[in-house]
Amino acid sequence: MKKTSIHIEELGPIRNANIELAQLMLFTGASNLGKSYTNFLTYYVFSTFANNRIYKFVSNKIEGKLKQAKDFNFNIKISDLCIWMSKDVKDFFKNLLGYDNIPCEVTFLFDLNFDILNIAYQREGETIKFGEESVIFSSITINEEKRIFIGDFSSIPSLMSDFIAEYLSEQIFEKRITHSFLLPPGRASLLDNSYSVQKSASRVGMYDLFLRDYDILARKSMWEESKPTDKQFFESRIRKLIDGELHTSKDGTMLKLANGTSIPLSAAASSIKELSPILLWMKNREIESDSICIEEPEAHAHPEMQYNMTDLLIACLNKGAFMQITTHSDYLLARLNQLIALGKLKKNKEKAFTDFCRENMHSKSIFLDEEKVKAYYFYLDETNQVKIELQDLSEGIPFDSFTSIVRRQMDMDDKLNLYQYQDEDE
């Protein structure tokens, strides 16, 4: 993807920090330092184009021209888009968190080979009548890339913003991203079929977004009749991971256990409820065209489940999915480091990689290219200010987030041993 930089002047507890987007964004560190805010910020960038949030910007640009009801031309400066995003992201966070006074001063920079989008709208032929309905053929051209659309005049803002969002997505991310999903913290509590819980939660923007996204994720898979090889790969591993199968029906999401019994998701283990949106995404979506923002994928999961879940996430990444993840799990980081080592082996010694996979029954699709990853560590400096450090992955992802507590544990063990074995007469 093209270089995309974000400067955080202030965002919650964060001051004067810089991050750069990557296919996999990983945020670690202690609680209350702004990891989730930064995770949501990266989600904002992907959703601006994938979920057509840019519609508001485009419709304002062409509002006057639409009143003319004829062909028109206009342009969009990338610098103007960045200025609009810096303002719009404030509204995004206010709605997402229900926090009207959140400190939020952020700027965006896209490293593109053009500064301006030249856009032309043109009607192609006469209006066609279908009973009482009228449709028109029209074309939209962006920097000489032309597409033909069918619709009435009122649909132009939507058609145009869709095309602009898709065009910019392909330029910035070097592919079209069809949807950006948000999986917030505490999501399992919303999956108990309780209307009152869902109604209350939907008043907070992130949970409203999640519930709408979950409806998309839970839709019956298009692969029900004939599953492609990659879907078979994911379904077999999901089945092993949760000792059952997830499927949707008129009664909601169900878990079919290995013994053939089906139970509602609300009756499943917390770990399965927490993971179910991710697993349904793998099962039902064309993941290579999606971006997904996940808060703590390890929540409630046993270490072995975390280990296997990490493999599945990286398999999705290698198919082309974009991911933004916060984590407190040393198991997840340790597994990522093993997969980075495998990625280096694959790059430098292809035969050794193949031999390793064959001899250890490891899938050749599960490895991690460190160049696809940006890992950021959040900590407090000596002045008690939040700092965000881009981590050096040359030796794997550092365990900075856990070093201090490990040292405290070891120190405590040493002290306990002293008291345990000292002479009672002393």
Side-chain angles (χ1 to χ4, degrees):
M1 64 180 291
K2 299 289 178 60
K3 182 178 179 180
T4 299
S5 304
I6 305 175
H7 175 69
I8 302 172
E9 185 65 29
E10 60 175 350
L11 180 61
I14 304 167
R15 300 290 183 275
N16 192 27
N18 295 288
I19 62 171
E20 186 179 322
L21 296 190
Q23 190 178 349
L24 172 59
M25 302 292 295
L26 191 68
F27 304 107
T28 62
S31 299
N32 298 319
L33 299 183
K35 294 191 307 298
S36 292
Y37 286 6
T38 310
N39 201 26
F40 297 149
L41 178 62
T42 60
Y43 162 82
Y44 167 79
V45 178
F46 289 101
S47 67
T48 293
F49 304 104
N51 299 354
N52 201 11
R53 190 177 179 90
I54 201 175
Y55 173 85
K56 294 185 289 184
F57 175 71
V58 174
S59 58
N60 287 337
K61 278 277 186 182
I62 65 175
E63 184 178 5
K65 299 180 182 298
L66 283 176
K67 294 177 182 178
Q68 302 171 20
K70 60 181 182 181
D71 300 350
F72 59 85
N73 301 295
F74 70 106
N75 61 58
I76 292 177
K77 294 181 180 178
I78 300 302
S79 58
D80 287 344
L81 173 62
C82 291
I83 291 170
W84 174 81
M85 289 176 66
S86 294
K87 296 176 180 177
D88 180 63
V89 73
K90 296 179 183 179
D91 292 333
F92 165 79
F93 271 107
K94 287 177 183 178
N95 177 261
L96 188 80
L97 305 174
Y99 180 9
D100 289 343
N101 299 317
I102 181 173
C104 182
E105 295 293 335
V106 178
T107 55
F108 303 89
L109 180 63
F110 301 108
D111 186 16
L112 299 171
N113 56 10
F114 57 87
D115 298 319
I116 296 176
L117 294 179
N118 295 301
I119 304 164
Y121 168 80
Q122 185 174 359
R123 291 183 61 166
E124 303 282 344
E126 298 297 320
T127 301
I128 302 174
K129 291 279 189 180
F130 290 97
E132 297 182 359
E133 300 293 327
S134 298
V135 298
I136 56 174
F137 286 85
S138 56
S139 67
I140 299 172
T141 305
I142 302 177
N143 289 2
E144 301 184 354
E145 183 174 331
K146 182 176 180 178
R147 299 223 182 137
I148 303 295
F149 298 92
I150 302 174
D152 58 25
F153 204 70
S154 64
S155 66
I156 292 173
S158 179
L159 293 172
M160 187 167 286
S161 62
D162 279 343
F163 186 17
I164 292 171
E166 180 181 334
Y167 183 89
L168 286 172
S169 176
E170 290 174 344
Q171 295 298 318
I172 296 167
F173 311 121
E174 298 181 323
K175 67 182 300 180
R176 183 187 179 191
I177 302 177
T178 56
H179 196 84
S180 182
F181 292 95
L182 176 63
L183 307 186
R187 53 191 172 271
S189 62
L190 303 180
L191 303 179
D192 64 355
N193 296 324
S194 169
Y195 174 77
S196 61
V197 170
Q198 293 190 13
K199 183 177 180 182
S200 174
S202 66
R203 296 172 188 166
V204 179
M206 74 171 79
Y207 296 110
D208 185 37
L209 279 173
F210 168 64
L211 290 171
R212 282 185 279 172
D213 278 350
Y214 190 79
D215 285 342
I216 298 172
L217 295 171
R219 287 175 190 164
K220 192 173 182 179
S221 171
M222 66 179 72
W223 321 113
E224 288 298 319
E225 297 301 323
S226 177
K227 295 182 175 64
T229 302
D230 64 322
K231 289 301 171 185
Q232 295 176 24
F233 168 86
F234 284 108
E235 289 205 351
S236 65
R237 287 177 174 264
I238 290 170
R239 194 178 303 115
K240 183 177 179 181
L241 181 74
I242 62 176
D243 195 27
E245 297 180 36
L246 289 172
H247 62 94
T248 55
S249 68
K250 60 181 176 60
D251 299 317
T253 303
M254 307 292 288
L255 173 63
K256 186 176 181 180
L257 302 174
N259 63 10
T261 304
S262 288
I263 63 173
L265 189 60
S266 57
S270 295
S271 58
I272 295 176
K273 283 195 287 186
E274 199 77 31
L275 289 174
S276 64
I278 307 173
L279 302 180
L280 287 170
W281 172 65
M282 295 174 182
K283 179 176 182 286
N284 294 339
R285 294 281 301 179
E286 294 181 350
I287 54 178
E288 61 271 23
S289 301
D290 284 341
S291 173
I292 190 165
C293 177
I294 311 172
E295 286 284 297
E296 299 178 23
E298 73 274 6
H300 304 295
H302 183 276
E304 183 177 2
M305 182 177 276
Q306 293 182 39
Y307 183 96
N308 293 326
M309 187 64 198
T310 304
D311 283 6
L312 280 171
L313 289 172
I314 297 308
C316 294
L317 186 84
N318 288 338
K319 279 188 60 64
F322 286 75
M323 297 180 193
Q324 307 89 52
I325 295 173
T326 62
T327 183
H328 288 140
S329 172
D330 56 340
Y331 297 106
L332 187 148
L333 294 183
R335 184 54 172 169
L336 287 176
N337 282 340
Q338 290 180 335
L339 299 182
I340 287 174
L342 267 175
K344 290 179 179 178
L345 188 64
K346 183 180 190 302
K347 182 178 181 180
N348 299 322
K349 298 181 178 181
E350 182 71 34
K351 183 179 183 304
F353 171 78
T354 300
D355 290 344
F356 174 89
C357 292
R358 183 185 66 253
E359 293 167 10
N360 293 276
M361 294 183 292
H362 181 87
S363 170
K364 294 177 70 174
S365 64
I366 301 176
F367 64 91
L368 182 53
D369 180 352
E370 66 180 281
E371 293 183 2
K372 295 180 178 181
V373 186
K374 295 288 185 186
Y376 290 91
Y377 172 56
F378 290 63
Y379 66 97
L380 290 175
D381 68 8
E382 61 278 1
T383 65
N384 218 34
Q385 296 297 309
V386 175
K387 296 295 180 182
I388 304 178
E389 179 182 302
L390 175 61
Q391 300 194 286
D392 179 5
L393 303 185
S394 59
E395 300 297 328
I397 301 167
F399 278 60
D400 296 345
S401 181
F402 308 103
T403 301
S404 61
I405 190 61
V406 170
R407 287 174 179 166
R408 284 173 56 190
Q409 284 181 315
M410 293 173 66
D411 184 54
M412 185 68 170
D413 286 341
D414 290 342
K415 290 177 179 178
L416 284 171
N417 285 334
L418 284 175
Y419 280 86
Q420 180 75 25
Y421 296 109
Q422 77 176 15
D423 195 323
E424 290 187 3
D425 294 333
E426 293 182 9

